[in-house]
Amino acid sequence: MFTSASHRAASAYKRVAAETSVQGADPHTLVGLLFDALLQSISEARGAMVRGDIAAKGAALGKAVRILEEGLKAGLNLREGGEIATNLRDLYAYSTLRLTQGNLRNDPAALEEVSKLIEPVAQSWKLIGGPGPAYLQPVAGRGA
């Protein structure tokens, strides 16, 4: 499939901009970027579901699950995070389950449910600013 030069240039620009923002970001900003990417992936999966594009749906949901499991959930500091970190871990696990069910059942309502659960957390994260509470910072040697 052929794409226009302007489309390729725009894609390259977006990719470089994303890589640059990740490289220079503090841990708080990285978590915000993960939330943004998670919600974008869920939105892409819903669109693919409506279009009947099974491959795109699977790719978008796979990315969303990886963000939840390998980024957000794996980055929690459960030793110091207490109830908040435990609740976030449970929210991320439930979200993974619902995304998987939504994929298997081709159920856009499951994807919408996850978006509605994650959006307030993402917005709250952005509102706290700075590096965030110490107990939400990654344990040494683990991801954001």
Side-chain angles (χ1 to χ4, degrees):
M1 175 177 209
F2 295 102
T3 56
S4 70
S6 62
H7 178 73
R8 287 191 308 272
S11 294
Y13 176 80
K14 285 171 36 177
R15 187 174 50 255
V16 169
E19 290 171 5
T20 302
S21 65
V22 168
Q23 290 172 355
D26 60 77
H28 180 83
T29 302
L30 289 173
V31 172
L33 291 171
L34 287 172
F35 280 126
D36 290 345
L38 171 60
L39 292 169
Q40 179 63 36
S41 293
I42 293 170
S43 178
E44 289 173 8
R46 279 197 315 257
M49 199 176 278
V50 168
R51 291 188 313 273
D53 188 342
I54 295 169
K57 176 189 77 167
L61 288 174
K63 180 178 179 180
V65 167
R66 287 190 67 204
I67 291 168
L68 283 164
E69 292 294 320
E70 298 173 17
L72 295 169
K73 187 175 166 186
L76 292 170
N77 184 336
L78 297 172
R79 281 183 284 151
E80 296 179 32
E83 187 178 354
I84 292 174
T86 300
N87 289 343
L88 287 170
R89 180 200 60 200
D90 294 345
L91 172 65
Y92 300 153
Y94 177 75
S95 296
T96 298
L97 172 67
R98 291 299 288 146
L99 291 176
T100 302
Q101 290 172 338
N103 188 24
L104 293 172
R105 298 175 184 154
N106 215 34
D107 180 10
L111 279 57
E112 182 65 26
E113 177 187 2
V114 174
S115 289
K116 287 182 178 180
L117 290 170
I118 296 296
E119 284 170 352
V121 178
Q123 289 302 316
S124 298
W125 184 260
K126 290 177 183 176
L127 289 174
I128 63 173
Y135 58 82
L136 290 178
Q137 296 305 307
V139 176
R142 292 179 47 193

